[in-house]
Amino acid sequence: DTAVSQTPKYLVTQMGNDKSIKCEQNLGHDTMYWYKQDSKKFLKIMFSYNNKELIINETVPNRFSPKSPDKAHLNLHINSLELGDSAVYFCASTMTPSYEQYFGPGTRLTVT
Amino acid sequence: AQSVSQHNHHVILSEAASLELGCNYSYGGTVNLFWYVQYPGQHLQLLLKYFSGDPLVKGIKGFEAEFIKSKFSFNLRKPSVQWSDTAEYFCAVSPTGTASKLTFGTGTRLQVTL
């Protein structure tokens, strides 16, 4: 009964490559998020979608492109990966106006 | 824009000791407040939340937090910690009226020794 799932769990890739991370929620929520957690455990919001529309776009390089094919899915595509992109990426979802966000298990991205 | 400060970066306690983790926020309007916990290698889980009403909020696993509006604080407490409470604890805030934009503090690593 996974509520928010992410694939893959681990991703190791070389600089310059393009990769995607997928997120799915089966909670019926209408809002989804991507967060980045760096090596010091600091969590920062990157993007948010509400009903497939982008509502938050923080100061993120345009190499990062989120896509939401439907309310239950939010994918993150990263072009030209850099060493500094190494982090754990968390997906989360909520049902407005609940405010409580449910997090996925995270995807640990390592760029070598 | 809102911001959150967690002044304790790393706390080490013996089992059965009492816990208080500090959280202060900065925002000009009303906010919703949260504490999340991240056990080693796991995702974030909600411990407790404050939206309105009684400023003393009880959460899961014996945790509670008190919202003190005049101090812009939302400290987390537990009277007696267990080894299994070893984890990273995050305070977070979002403005009321929107489900968006949780802003997290930098986290406090709690280590409970036997």
Side-chain angles (χ1 to χ4, degrees), chain A residues 48-97:
Chain A
S48 176
Y49 271 75
N50 176 263
N51 284 318
K52 302 193 296 174
E53 285 192 32
L54 182 66
I55 57 171
I56 291 177
N57 185 351
E58 290 293 291
T59 311
V60 177
N62 56 17
R63 299 182 292 105
F64 289 79
S65 51
K67 279 194 175 58
S68 182
D70 55 59
K71 297 198 303 187
H73 296 85
L74 180 61
N75 303 325
L76 183 65
H77 187 76
I78 315 169
N79 288 326
S80 304
L81 278 155
E82 300 176 357
L83 291 176
D85 298 332
S86 294
V88 181
Y89 292 83
F90 285 99
C91 177
S93 71
T94 191
M95 186 68 189
T96 54

Side-chain angles (χ1 to χ4, degrees), chain B residues 4-44:
Chain B
V4 181
S5 297
Q6 291 181 245
H7 306 296
N8 315 107
H9 296 296
H10 188 191
V11 172
I12 302 174
L13 293 173
S14 300
E15 263 204 331
S18 65
L19 169 73
E20 180 157 5
L21 301 182
C23 172
N24 287 88
Y25 70 93
S26 171
Y27 183 68
T30 54
V31 294
N32 301 309
L33 296 153
F34 306 83
W35 275 98
Y36 281 85
V37 61
Q38 186 177 24
Y39 297 104
Q42 295 190 28
H43 63 285
L44 281 89

